[in-house]
Amino acid sequence: MSSHAPFPAEGGVPADQLVSEQVTVRRSPRYGVFAAVGAALGIVVAMILATAFDGTSEPSPFTEVVYSPSQAFGFILLWCVPAGILLAMVAALVLEWTIGRRTRRVTVLHETVADPE
């Protein structure tokens, strides 16, 4: 829905080159930031789990191999980082559905600039 009503000349621009239009503006979460925070939280949880569960002194019942603490941390990290990203993205989607519904109507100006020859 646009109303092409020219505004009076502003700042030396002829009035026929300025057009106002009604647009809808809404906020949306920055998904990259949510993914990065989720990955960081996954790393923190993996560090806590790796220090809390020190089951690396005995051989694994499946492979009969003794894993070092850094290997155990890596295995835990493989589960915690994707889980953290998944949970953060779900939180971003919930915010999108709840907060993203709030929209505003604003008036914007379009200025047509001709290339001087």
Side-chain angles (χ1 to χ4, degrees):
M1 299 185 132
S2 66
S3 63
H4 294 284
F7 282 174
E10 296 178 11
V13 178
D16 62 341
Q17 292 181 354
L18 292 176
V19 178
S20 70
E21 186 175 352
Q22 289 284 326
V23 296
T24 303
V25 178
R26 70 176 182 86
R27 294 185 55 120
S28 69
R30 299 183 189 271
Y31 292 102
V33 173
F34 274 87
V37 169
L41 287 176
I43 292 170
V44 170
V45 169
M47 286 190 298
I48 292 169
L49 289 175
T51 57
F53 300 111
D54 185 34
T56 59
S57 59
E58 297 178 10
S60 170
F62 302 108
T63 60
E64 298 180 5
V65 176
V66 176
Y67 295 107
S68 69
S70 61
Q71 287 174 323
F73 172 68
F75 293 142
I76 296 171
L77 200 63
L78 287 174
W79 285 94
C80 289
V81 170
I85 293 172
L86 177 70
L87 290 175
M89 295 308 265
V90 167
L93 284 175
V94 168
L95 284 174
E96 172 79 22
W97 291 333
T98 57
I99 295 174
R101 291 184 181 167
R102 298 182 199 162
T103 60
R104 294 185 310 183
R105 300 282 295 167
V106 294
T107 303
V108 295
L109 279 179
H110 291 278
E111 178 181 350
T112 305
V113 179
D115 206 14
E117 294 181 24

